[in-house]
Amino acid sequence: MKVLVLNSGSSSIKYQLFNMDDKKVLTSGLVEQIGEPTGRLKYKWLDSNGDTQEGIEESHFGDHSEGLKLVFDITMKLGIIKNLNDLYGIGHRVLHGGEAFWKPTLINSKVVEVIREMIPLGPLHNPPNLMGIEFMLKMTPSIPQVAIFDTAFGQTMPPHAYHYALPYKYYKDLHIRRYGFHGTSHQYVSKQAALFLDKPLGECNVITLHLGNGSSTTAVKDGKCVDTSMGLTPLEGLVMGTRCGDMDPAIVPFLGKTLGLSFDQLDTILNKQSGLKGICGTNDMREIERLAAGGDLNAALAIDMFCYRIKKYIGSYSAVLGRVDAIVFTGGIGENAIDIRKQCCSNLENIGITIDDAKNSAQSRKERTISTDASTVKVLVIPTNEELEIAQQTVECIKTS
Ligand code: ADP
């Protein structure tokens, strides 16, 4: 059973084709610079010996459909699929489902229209997501296609967690509320955590920390999201690569009035020039760690702020959950940055969290425990796999629809 996962961005398309029998990726790739004079398709595939091979093609892609056509030509030429009817289904990543979509949804023309209605909530991502969907619907109308929303996992939050204390009419009229993002990743690692802990998902309370360029955390109670750090947009919450996360909202009008900045300029400052980059000049955590080790005080400050914010969320989500079975680190930083994990969990013994330095320092790509045996809250590192989660949800949705 072969399932294609597509993530169509504004000028790029990421894809993975899974064999769902053994969960292996048969081919994957990235089409870049769509609309530019020269675009590029970088791809990998498993050859008949099971070895990974790589290829690259340069061409002009006028739009997403031209990029996808080349992807399919190459995939068929490599013999990975004979034709598109070899696909069991296609899973499309969609950023924003608003309150309309709380689970994977089989795509039809009505669903396309509702995703279009969500564009004001996801203005940068929903339009290219839709382009991928509409092209594939035209090209393969008989293959079931499923929309997997990054906001869906957050739809189980209770009202007291998702409302902002703003005039209620803004929620009613403009749908302003907390939605949360990275939902597919938080859902995947919380399921894997349940398997790892050998506990039914419906009895698991975990705090998931997705720490990458964008970072967010989720409180998961009995397998369901009850709170999350990102809000109406992915700007809220943790200190991120270039986003500020939580701050006093009055800073926005203060900066605007004092410096005569427009809303667009303020938006750029908060989303692209803040966070780790705003504090120390770079958003690459490896570089920041290197700078801090060399005595750069702003790099050290950026790390301290990043970890302190995470620690505050661990504390508040522990209060939200009551009992915490595990804290899960994932994402580029969460999976790899040993010292960051240690600092986030330091001095938390009073709430049952103790890191085992040797386990934390061991290099591994596997799911693992990094807490001591005595730690009542287990601390886990679980590599995320959003594409596999999308593929699994696609199969599940097609089977049950
Ligand atoms: P994205 O959110 O773009 O998917 P990733 O999840 O790939 O990002 O995470 C990127 C971040 O992970 C970067 O800040 C990078 O420096 C950091 N990172 C990757 N490997 C390491 C490592 N070994 N140590 C510290 N940070 C790392």
Side-chain angles (χ1 to χ4, degrees), residues 221-260:
K221 192 175 178 67
D222 301 331
K224 293 201 162 68
C225 171
V226 291
D227 206 348
T228 191
S229 59
M230 284 178 167
L232 174 74
T233 76
L235 183 59
E236 196 182 347
L238 303 181
V239 174
M240 301 177 227
T242 61
R243 297 186 203 127
C244 58
D246 296 338
M247 64 167 202
D248 181 348
I251 294 170
V252 178
F254 181 88
L255 275 179
K257 283 184 203 155
T258 310
L259 301 178

Side-chain angles (χ1 to χ4, degrees), residues 59-133:
S59 176
H60 168 70
F61 306 119
D63 59 20
H64 287 60
S65 66
E66 291 178 15
L68 281 169
K69 271 188 198 133
L70 182 62
V71 169
F72 292 126
D73 284 351
I74 288 178
T75 307
M76 286 189 247
K77 216 173 356 172
L78 291 169
I80 297 164
I81 49 171
K82 281 197 286 303
N83 56 53
L84 290 174
N85 290 324
D86 274 358
L87 297 175
Y88 176 75
I90 301 171
H92 293 270
R93 180 182 200 153
V94 182
L95 180 84
H96 220 303
E99 288 185 318
F101 298 107
W102 50 275
K103 59 175 188 164
T105 305
L106 204 59
I107 299 174
N108 56 29
S109 55
K110 171 88 181 92
V111 170
V112 168
E113 282 326 301
V114 182
I115 296 174
R116 205 184 306 286
E117 285 166 20
M118 300 301 148
I119 287 178
L121 293 172
L124 298 181
H125 295 86
N126 275 32
N129 297 160
L130 267 174
M131 259 190 258
I133 291 174

Side-chain angles (χ1 to χ4, degrees), residues 135-270:
F135 173 71
M136 290 312 300
L137 283 177
K138 237 186 259 158
M139 194 153 169
T140 60
S142 58
I143 310 284
Q145 305 197 31
V146 178
I148 312 287
F149 299 90
D150 225 28
T151 49
F153 191 52
Q155 283 298 301
T156 48
M157 276 186 282
H160 57 258
Y162 71 67
H163 273 293
Y164 291 111
L166 290 168
Y168 196 78
K169 63 181 177 198
Y170 297 138
Y171 167 67
K172 292 298 283 176
D173 299 345
L174 301 172
H175 314 289
I176 291 180
R177 53 158 281 179
R178 174 183 308 288
Y179 290 96
F181 298 86
H182 290 144
T184 315
S185 176
H186 289 295
Q187 190 166 12
Y188 175 77
V189 298
S190 49
K191 279 190 205 164
Q192 293 302 111
L195 290 173
F196 193 90
L197 298 170
D198 200 18
K199 247 185 135 171
L201 178 63
E203 291 172 19
C204 267
N205 288 1
V206 296
I207 299 171
T208 53
L209 293 159
H210 179 111
L211 309 179
N213 240 326
S215 295
S216 62
T217 174
T218 293
V220 180
K221 192 175 178 67
D222 301 331
K224 293 201 162 68
C225 171
V226 291
D227 206 348
T228 191
S229 59
M230 284 178 167
L232 174 74
T233 76
L235 183 59
E236 196 182 347
L238 303 181
V239 174
M240 301 177 227
T242 61
R243 297 186 203 127
C244 58
D246 296 338
M247 64 167 202
D248 181 348
I251 294 170
V252 178
F254 181 88
L255 275 179
K257 283 184 203 155
T258 310
L259 301 178
L261 300 173
S262 66
F263 285 122
D264 283 347
Q265 286 171 313
L266 287 162
D267 195 56
T268 302
I269 291 170
L270 301 180

Side-chain angles (χ1 to χ4, degrees), residues 14 182 210-215 276 283-287 289 331-334 336-338 340 386:
K14 279 191 204 152
H182 290 144
H210 179 111
L211 309 179
N213 240 326
S215 295
L276 299 170
N283 55 325
D284 182 335
M285 187 54 93
R286 278 167 294 202
E287 174 71 359
E289 288 190 309
I333 298 172
N336 298 298
I338 296 162
I340 300 288
E386 292 165 88

